[in-house]
Amino acid sequence: MQMTAPNAIKQMKLYTQMERVQRALSARGMAKGALRPSDLHDLDQLHYGGIDAVEHAIDVLGLTGEDTVLDVGAGLGGPARYIAQRLGGQIEAIELQADLNALAQTLTARCGLDNHIRHTQGDVLAAPLPPNHFDAVVSWLTVLHIPNRAGLFECLKETLKPMGQMYLEDFYARQPLDEATQKTLTEEVFCAHLPHQAQYIQDLSHAGFTNIVFEDVSEAWTDFVSERLWTFQDQADAFIKVHDQATYDALAHFYSVMVTLFKGGQLGGVRIRAEAAR
Ligand SMILES: C[S@@+](CC[C@H](N)C(=O)[O-])C[C@H]1O[C@@H](n2cnc3c(N)ncnc32)[C@H](O)[C@@H]1O
């Protein structure tokens, strides 16, 4: 099965200089010791809309503390910690990048949530996921990094219980992608393959998902990324004081690429809900 080389993804500047998290915590006098998940919300939600987006997923899936949940592409573990703190339950958090996974594990332990979340480093396509096991799969801005949709959706369908629920936030091709946009997506966002809506839905149905709800959120995400860039630029001096110019430049570059992509109208954002067929 085609998998992702863990280092190749580091070409995306959101994933470099991860020391920024520890530096930001040190600047707040939180270098060590216990943390509340809310101390991290501005640092550990690597998607759009912060914890509101996670709350939305809890709501639409009707998640409870009885559910076993798989979080695919868990990043720094922000969404998993939010769910664990809100509901309890058991969450399996899989993350490709070793440094992000190690940091996620440390932060989860500092929040006292390690009895609810198990962090595993690896490619979801190679993970030994037990069949018929999870009540729900959740994933924020990860599927876009995985061109092998057939393999991915098949393994997620297999690990869900029959009628288990899946919630994804992801990118899709809202309009046909021109060469320049595809090049930017590949080089700056580590997104080599972006299907349009019909193809996306077809890939899910082929893997055995049904009751697929595809909700376009492109406009809200265009506003989000634009505001994220303005705020970041506005606070440049304070950020550089805590971090350094290189860290600022890397993030400012990435944030500005995302504004250009969303404003271009070809990149779209989507929330997807689907159910594993019996
Ligand atoms: C944009 S980040 C989002 C992180 C997290 N879901 C959040 O919202 O805070 C996407 C994450 O997916 C991870 N990822 C990409 N491909 C993956 C794969 N094949 N298996 C596991 N994780 C993957 C990346 O390393 C990255 O941390």
Side-chain angles (χ1 to χ4, degrees):
M1 192 177 285
Q2 187 198 349
M3 288 186 292
T4 306
N7 287 335
I9 202 168
K10 289 287 183 203
Q11 71 196 55
M12 177 165 147
K13 292 188 164 46
L14 181 66
Y15 304 140
T16 55
Q17 289 123 332
M18 293 315 298
E19 323 77 67
R20 67 181 187 259
V21 175
Q22 187 56 34
R23 266 199 233 119
L25 288 175
S26 300
R28 294 170 194 181
M30 294 176 174
K32 287 188 194 153
L35 290 170
R36 290 165 303 181
S38 57
D39 295 328
L40 298 166
H41 285 169
D42 61 329
L43 301 170
D44 69 0
Q45 308 287 322
L46 302 183
H47 56 261
Y48 305 141
I51 58 163
D52 291 349
V54 186
E55 191 60 44
H56 179 76
I58 291 173
D59 188 38
V60 297
L61 293 178
L63 288 182
T64 73
E66 302 296 305
D67 291 320
T68 52
V69 178
L70 172 66
D71 182 5
V72 178
L76 297 173
R81 280 188 294 278
Y82 184 79
I83 295 169
Q85 187 207 22
R86 254 288 261 109
L87 305 175
Q90 289 303 316
I91 301 162
E92 180 79 35
I94 297 192
E95 169 51 47
L96 178 71
Q97 299 178 65
D99 55 344
L100 273 77
N101 186 65
L103 187 48
Q105 216 154 9
T106 303
L107 296 173
T108 294
R110 289 184 63 186
C111 290
L113 290 169
D114 37 351
N115 50 342
H116 290 288
I117 304 172
R118 188 163 68 139
H119 289 282
T120 305
Q121 191 252 318
D123 188 328
V124 62
L125 293 172
L129 297 171
N132 293 340
H133 178 76
F134 291 100
D135 297 294
V137 167
V138 292
S139 183
W140 282 268
L141 300 190
T142 298
V143 176
L144 66 104
H145 290 313
I146 305 175
N148 180 0
R149 299 301 169 98
L152 174 66
F153 294 148
E154 201 176 305
C155 83
L156 298 181
K157 153 76 173 66
E158 286 308 304
T159 201
L160 275 167
K161 292 177 184 167
M163 298 177 73
Q165 302 289 314
M166 181 161 79
Y167 178 92
L168 309 176
E169 294 203 1
D170 196 19
F171 293 170
Y172 79 106
R174 199 178 179 198
Q175 293 170 21
L177 303 179
D178 61 28
E179 214 175 295
T181 303
Q182 183 55 74
K183 188 169 183 293
T184 306
L185 281 165
T186 304
E187 292 176 358
E188 305 274 6
V189 191
F190 200 66
C191 175
H193 167 72
L194 202 62
H196 49 74
Q197 176 171 354
Q199 182 65 55
Y200 206 130
I201 292 173
Q202 195 182 345
D203 291 344
L204 285 166
S205 336
H206 276 171
F209 284 96
T210 125
N211 292 332
I212 299 163
V213 179
F214 192 99
E215 182 197 355
D216 177 87
V217 287
S218 307
E219 280 177 24
W221 287 9
T222 305
D223 292 347
F224 179 90
V225 295
S226 304
E227 204 172 311
R228 176 173 71 174
L229 178 62
W230 295 328
T231 309
F232 192 63
Q233 288 171 333
D234 202 42
Q235 297 171 357
D237 290 348
F239 185 91
I240 292 165
K241 229 182 234 172
V242 173
H243 302 275
D244 52 33
Q245 187 71 44
T247 307
Y248 175 81
D249 290 346
L251 277 178
H253 173 82
F254 177 72
Y255 292 164
S256 125
V257 166
M258 291 318 302
V259 172
T260 306
L261 281 170
F262 273 110
K263 286 201 166 165
Q266 296 171 31
L267 175 66
V270 62
R271 285 173 158 166
I272 292 175
R273 227 179 330 144
E275 186 177 298
R278 280 168 207 267

